[in-house]
Amino acid sequence: MRRQLWRSALAALILTLAWSNPALAAETVDEAKCFSCHGQVKEMKTGSNHADLSCDTCHSEMDAHLKNPKTKPVTSLELATCGDCHEDQFKSYYRVNYEAQARKEKGLPTGRSPMQDKLIAPHGFTKEHNEPRSHPFMVVDQLAVDRFAGGRYQFKDMYGVVRPGKTWDVLVDTGKTLPHTAKAGNPVCLQCKTSDLVLTWKFMGDKDERAKWDRTSDVNELIKDVHNPVGCIHCHDPHGTQPRIIRDALIGGIERDGARPYDADKGQGKVKVVNFRDFRKIGVLTKMDSNLLCGQCHVEYNCNPGFEPESGDKVAMADRRANHFPMKNALDLLAHYDKLKFRDFKHAVTGARLIKLQHPEMETYWGSVHDKAGVQCHNCHMPKEKNSSGATFTTHQVVRPKDHVEQACMGCHPDATAEEKLYQIQAVQNYTRGKMRESEAYLGELIDTFAAAQKAGVAEPVLAEARKQHEIAHVLWEWWTAENSDGWHNPGLAKESLNESITASQKGIALLKEALNK
């Protein structure tokens, strides 16, 4: 009933605007003409909350397109287009979360990974590797970080750090390379940071004459087309409002392994993949599952060139392995990359063939207590709020539950207190951080012992076995410095994998010390 009233009111508003503005009335197109070619859009739009919205709400220069289909209409990808109707969600998205600090380096002595620079040397992340902060900053933070483009892109002033805005209103291209930086940025890593490339990027970033950009494009040219962070259309279909995913490598992973690889049914039926003219795909969800929506970015993935571990052959950006979602948890990840024949880099001291982990929140969460209870990301990270008129809406700010325990936890735990729930979170995180530090310490000892053994002339077969233990220990440790919950998303998995990391390091150390003693 409420939906029908909303539609009727919206239709009346559109008609009123059209009567008062002849130019607007002239621009309104007959959607039947659009549907005659765009049958998939018709299927999603008909009967939806956007059923009464005219196509020219988001598309302009339609007359030219109708006369010649090869002349594409101009499509608004601005978040403000959605914000015209969804004002509360739009404003909350751009609200700065001051609890998430800017440029907070993980590798500091008090950071999440104090020994990072030693353990992942010589990877570009040693130049600058920050903890995440508010979504509105995801593009500008990515471009400004010292590892992306050699320090070429800088904030125009300190206000850019705290005031969300369009990319090139906030940043300046200095054209200069700074010392102690890296140039690791590439087109694939931008697919998780912005929605602006959705119409100019073919599925998986493959080359196509219809695509302006692909995996091999010059990233410094590509980012000139990037003006906004991840937008509404990443998670909400603009035609029918269905929850959806557009990140190509996640869709590819779902087609390969299912939406829930560790479930008995593999998540069958959760996602309907829609192929648009063999150019791009979207995954339409049969019902809301924010674990998948957030998993477009909060996931372990490969987005860069590397090499094959056995042959040493290079894996270039032209290879689809440079845009890959493994869809595996911490315990199974290394075996997956073995099968894929991929590694990111070799360690500076041991030469171990290592993976550089990203932010695997989705896979970490699979099988956890909260996951089994049906709790989704938005239940804790996007709690309900009331606007100035008293209407309830879902905040799109995305908060850290430990800083908002009352809103995030108490709805499901009414018999507990906020202090009690926060204490439980802290207990898990404190324990996990302790295990992370212990894992780091043993990895550091393994690296030092390897250097001593190599200098002493220990035989290569022993060094090779120690490298293998290094590979195992590294993945099981770095998963948790890359994952951002300090174990809370899955305490059991954190304990098991970190203990296995310690065991692998100890095994490598023992091998080397035995050889040194001989």
Side-chain angles (χ1 to χ4, degrees), residues 324-341:
H324 181 79
F325 280 27
M327 307 287 282
K328 295 291 185 289
N329 69 23
L331 302 174
D332 299 328
L333 185 66
L334 188 61
H336 176 85
Y337 277 120
D338 283 340
K339 185 176 179 180
L340 188 69
K341 297 181 179 179

Side-chain angles (χ1 to χ4, degrees), residues 263-455:
D263 287 4
D265 66 353
K266 307 294 184 185
Q268 185 177 4
K270 278 184 167 288
V271 180
K272 176 186 176 182
V273 176
V274 181
N275 189 329
F276 290 101
R277 304 180 192 276
D278 200 29
F279 181 75
R280 67 186 184 93
K281 296 180 181 181
I282 64 172
V284 180
L285 277 60
T286 53
K287 63 179 181 179
M288 171 57 72
D289 186 343
S290 56
N291 300 340
L292 282 170
L293 303 186
C294 299
Q296 296 183 84
C297 303
H298 292 269
V299 63
E300 157 56 21
Y301 66 101
N302 181 53
C303 63
N304 48 260
F307 64 96
E308 294 189 352
E310 298 302 326
S311 68
D313 292 345
K314 291 183 178 180
V315 176
M317 290 302 296
D319 193 309
R320 268 201 179 188
R321 285 176 289 182
N323 186 10
H324 181 79
F325 280 27
M327 307 287 282
K328 295 291 185 289
N329 69 23
L331 302 174
D332 299 328
L333 185 66
L334 188 61
H336 176 85
Y337 277 120
D338 283 340
K339 185 176 179 180
L340 188 69
K341 297 181 179 179
F342 183 85
R343 290 292 192 276
D344 282 285
F345 70 107
K346 290 184 178 181
H347 191 268
V349 176
T350 69
R353 305 159 301 181
L354 302 180
I355 299 299
K356 177 65 194 77
L357 275 293
Q358 306 303 327
H359 18 67
E361 282 81 37
M362 180 179 74
E363 310 96 299
T364 297
Y365 193 65
W366 288 337
S368 67
V369 171
H370 284 98
D371 182 41
K372 291 176 180 177
V375 179
Q376 299 181 22
C377 304
H378 72 278
N379 298 129
C380 302
H381 293 277
M382 301 171 67
K384 299 291 185 181
E385 287 186 10
K386 287 188 177 182
N387 63 16
S388 57
S389 301
T392 300
F393 70 98
T394 299
T395 181
H396 280 57
Q397 183 184 24
V398 186
V399 300
R400 298 178 177 185
K402 67 183 180 64
D403 299 320
H404 301 267
V405 174
E406 191 72 40
Q407 302 95 316
C409 304
M410 304 314 294
C412 294
H413 301 281
D415 296 330
T417 65
E419 291 79 10
E420 200 172 40
K421 302 315 294 181
L422 177 59
Y423 202 75
Q424 291 172 346
I425 294 171
Q426 291 170 335
V428 168
Q429 292 185 327
N430 289 339
Y431 177 84
T432 305
R433 291 186 192 112
K435 283 295 180 184
M436 289 163 64
R437 297 296 82 78
E438 189 178 357
S439 299
E440 287 186 346
Y442 278 109
L443 270 167
E445 184 180 351
L446 173 58
I447 292 167
D448 292 342
T449 308
F450 186 98
Q454 191 173 45
K455 185 176 180 180

Side-chain angles (χ1 to χ4, degrees), residues 62-78:
M62 302 284 283
D63 288 343
H65 178 59
L66 290 170
K67 290 175 182 177
N68 180 5
K70 291 184 178 180
T71 303
K72 303 298 182 185
V74 176
T75 301
S76 172
L77 300 177
E78 298 295 325

Side-chain angles (χ1 to χ4, degrees), residues 230-248:
V230 159
C232 316
I233 63 170
H234 239 75
C235 301
H236 306 281
D237 187 80
H239 300 111
T241 71
Q242 299 93 342
R244 74 169 189 179
I245 54 179
I246 66 172
R247 180 66 169 92
D248 49 8

Side-chain angles (χ1 to χ4, degrees), residues 39-268:
Q40 294 160 314
V41 173
K42 178 182 179 180
E43 182 181 346
M44 289 186 287
K45 190 172 187 288
T46 303
S48 75
N49 284 341
H50 279 182
D52 294 324
L53 284 184
S54 172
C55 301
D56 55 18
T57 303
C58 300
H59 304 288
S60 59
E61 299 184 19
M62 302 284 283
D63 288 343
H65 178 59
L66 290 170
K67 290 175 182 177
N68 180 5
K70 291 184 178 180
T71 303
K72 303 298 182 185
V74 176
T75 301
S76 172
L77 300 177
E78 298 295 325
L79 284 72
T81 301
C82 302
D84 286 342
C85 293
H86 304 281
E87 184 178 2
D88 293 325
Q89 290 83 354
F90 174 73
K91 286 184 176 179
S92 66
Y93 178 87
Y94 278 103
R95 188 192 308 148
V96 178
N97 180 4
Y98 290 106
E99 293 149 357
Q101 298 177 27
R103 308 199 89 152
K104 188 177 180 182
E105 171 65 59
K106 287 186 177 182
L108 295 175
T110 56
R112 299 189 70 240
S113 179
M115 293 179 64
Q116 167 195 280
D117 289 358
K118 177 177 182 175
L119 302 191
I120 66 171
H123 198 276
F125 270 75
T126 60
K127 305 302 180 185
E128 186 176 5
H129 187 10
N130 299 322
E131 293 189 21
R133 61 173 183 145
S134 305
H135 284 170
F137 297 106
M138 61 200 323
V139 169
V140 295
D141 282 357
Q142 177 76 357
L143 302 190
V145 75
D146 281 349
R147 70 175 184 273
F148 184 84
R152 173 174 171 174
Y153 305 105
Q154 296 290 322
F155 288 99
K156 290 182 178 180
D157 53 46
M158 286 307 296
Y159 291 112
V161 176
V162 74
R163 295 178 184 173
K166 296 208 171 283
T167 303
W168 304 110
D169 291 340
V170 174
L171 296 183
V172 60
D173 180 357
T174 68
K176 299 177 181 178
T177 299
L178 299 179
H180 313 299
T181 60
K183 296 181 180 180
N186 66 70
V188 175
C189 67
L190 267 299
Q191 305 311 310
C192 283
K193 305 297 187 295
T194 181
S195 307
D196 285 357
L197 305 171
V198 63
L199 299 177
T200 54
W201 175 271
K202 189 179 180 180
F203 183 70
M204 298 304 294
D206 292 342
K207 282 184 177 293
D208 191 295
E209 62 181 8
R210 296 170 292 174
K212 184 176 181 180
W213 308 110
D214 62 72
R215 293 190 303 273
T216 67
S217 295
D218 181 343
V219 70
N220 291 303
E221 291 299 316
L222 176 143
I223 60 175
K224 294 176 183 178
D225 277 1
V226 175
H227 304 281
N228 302 290
V230 159
C232 316
I233 63 170
H234 239 75
C235 301
H236 306 281
D237 187 80
H239 300 111
T241 71
Q242 299 93 342
R244 74 169 189 179
I245 54 179
I246 66 172
R247 180 66 169 92
D248 49 8
L250 176 56
I251 295 170
I254 290 171
E255 290 182 314
R256 183 188 70 238
D257 296 325
R260 299 268 306 185
Y262 290 89
D263 287 4
D265 66 353
K266 307 294 184 185
Q268 185 177 4

